[in-house]
Amino acid sequence: MADLNVLIAFDAATIVERNPNASRNPDAPTPVAHNLIYMTTRQDHIIGTSGDQLNLRAEPGDTIRWRETTLSLDSDYKALLYRYVSSDKNELIRTPEIEVIDGIYPMPKEGTEGRPEFVTQNYQDHY
């Protein structure tokens, strides 16, 4: 069994620009153009090409970790996956569950010149 990481990147700035009055209702989301979403994983797991759809190679029992980000790396906007809708009629993938994890960010220390110094910051994240 393997852990497969899938990264979903959203062009959030363009999504916001095109949808200034986007829905805030999770049960009635604003549709997003397919060319503003990009998914990828390790090259040896991709079948075909990456894009707004992703076909990947996995085995029974593998864990797929879906992670989201924005093209601005969440500095201007943040994406959040909150619902999974499958077109898998054979029910090969069980309903995803949110896993909250603790992590540590390395951050450049302010006021250092030349060779930067780093500090760390604890955070909680999810997949």
Side-chain angles (χ1 to χ4, degrees), residues 28-44:
T30 300
V32 175
H34 294 281
N35 64 345
L36 301 178
I37 303 170
Y38 186 84
M39 293 187 283
T40 193
T41 189
R42 278 185 21 194
Q43 200 65 30
D44 59 334

Side-chain angles (χ1 to χ4, degrees), residues 19-33:
N19 302 283
N21 298 312
S23 170
R24 303 271 190 232
N25 180 349
D27 294 321
T30 300
V32 175

Side-chain angles (χ1 to χ4, degrees), residues 70-89:
T70 63
L71 294 180
S72 65
L73 296 179
D74 301 332
S75 63
D76 296 321
Y77 300 99
K78 176 88 174 131
L80 177 66
L81 299 174
Y82 64 91
R83 184 178 300 144
Y84 172 80
V85 178
S86 176
S87 61
D88 173 23
K89 304 212 183 337

